[in-house]
């Protein structure tokens, strides 16, 4: 299958140098971060709120069903900022040695999924921890239930599809997908397999397609929910050379793509290769 992106709008985001991660609040408001700054912006690129002191990683923020921002700070604590941007609460305190790397609030359960890692004996080790709304650990996903091997090494982004599969972008392990119970479903390492995938931002669309940025091919790749490759969508236009941040708007069926090399976010409609109507 061939898909292409039709540009709807290009936004220059005030207050960031790169667009490493995008968290959608509504159809016209998103949080966007680089390594230092976290900006609430709109489709005009206005700086509506500005936070510093965030974790210098990638998928370090998310928004819960109440619209509160949840983010990892530079001390590895996980904080919640109220929708009016006035009240900050620490909901999960950092406990060594496991360092939070990325965070995602599940729209279906309200749980908080946190990708963690630590460095020991010359290598990184990763795991995924599920917390309930009060910050209690209710699940840890770390090993392949069939082989006993570790699933993650360096998780950087997390998302879910509509049936609760947990999808992780891991620098060392590619895309790793488990079901809600933690059983390994599949891992994806590029098309063809082993072709040098360098996964970055990740999201799912209304049909549970997986969309991910690949820094190797500088493209957005699309998979079905079973991990089958559907399409590679090159993005070398409209000031996006190196797609990195990614978010999908289910309401308007639009894909937000952020650049690693500048403060540009493009908003696209995904259409099949033969369609002029955007079905």
């Amino acid at each position: 299958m061939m898909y292409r992106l039709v540009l709807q709008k290009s936004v220059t985001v005030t207050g960031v140098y790169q667009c490493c991660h995008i968290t959608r609040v509504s159809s016209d408001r998103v949080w966007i971060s680089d390594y230092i700054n976290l900006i609430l912006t709109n489709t005009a690129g206005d700086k509506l709120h500005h936070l510093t002191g965030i974790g210098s990683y990638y998928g370090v923020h998310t928004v819960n069903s109440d619209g509160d921002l949840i983010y990892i700070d530079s001390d590895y604590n996980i904080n919640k900022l109220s929708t009016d941007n006035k009240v900050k609460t620490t909901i999960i305190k950092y406990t060594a040695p496991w360092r939070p790397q990325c965070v995602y609030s599940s729209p279906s359960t309200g749980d908080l999924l946190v990708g963690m890692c630590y460095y020991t004996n010359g290598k990184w080790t990763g795991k995924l921890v599920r917390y309930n709304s009060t910050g209690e650990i209710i699940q840890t996903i770390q090993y392949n239930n069939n082989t006993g091997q570790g699933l993650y090494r360096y998780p950087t982004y997390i998302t879910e599809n509509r049936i609760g599969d947990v999808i992780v972008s891991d620098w060392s392990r590619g895309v790793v997908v488990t079901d809600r119970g933690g059983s390994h479903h599949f891992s994806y390492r590029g098309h063809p397999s082993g072709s040098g995938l360098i996964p970055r931002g990740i999201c799912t669309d209304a049909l549970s397609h997986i969309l991910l940025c690949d820094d190797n091919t500088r493209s957005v790749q699309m998979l079905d929910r079973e991990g089958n490759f559907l399409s590679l969508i090159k993005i070398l236009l409209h000031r996006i050379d190196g797609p990195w941040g990614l978010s999908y708007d289910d309401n308007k069926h639009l894909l937000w793509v952020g650049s690693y090399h500048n403060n540009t976010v493009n908003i696209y409609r995904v259409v099949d290769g033969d369609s002029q109507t955007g079905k």
Side-chain angles (χ1 to χ4, degrees), residues 26-61:
S26 64
S27 290
D28 60 354
R29 287 192 175 196
V30 295
W31 288 96
I32 295 179
S33 62
D34 54 22
Y35 291 102
I36 303 169
N37 306 285
L38 177 54
I39 299 295
L40 178 65
T41 187
N42 55 20
T43 51
D46 301 321
K47 183 166 65 175
L48 306 177
H49 195 74
H50 183 189
L51 288 176
T52 57
I54 64 168
S56 57
Y57 311 112
Y58 299 110
V60 296
H61 50 88

Side-chain angles (χ1 to χ4, degrees), residues 5-38:
L5 300 181
V6 177
L7 182 67
Q8 307 294 296
K9 188 177 182 68
S10 187
V11 180
T12 300
V13 182
T14 303
V16 294
Y17 300 100
Q18 304 152 306
C19 299
C20 295
H21 186 41
I22 305 169
T23 296
R24 196 174 60 85
V25 180
S26 64
S27 290
D28 60 354
R29 287 192 175 196
V30 295
W31 288 96
I32 295 179
S33 62
D34 54 22
Y35 291 102
I36 303 169
N37 306 285
L38 177 54

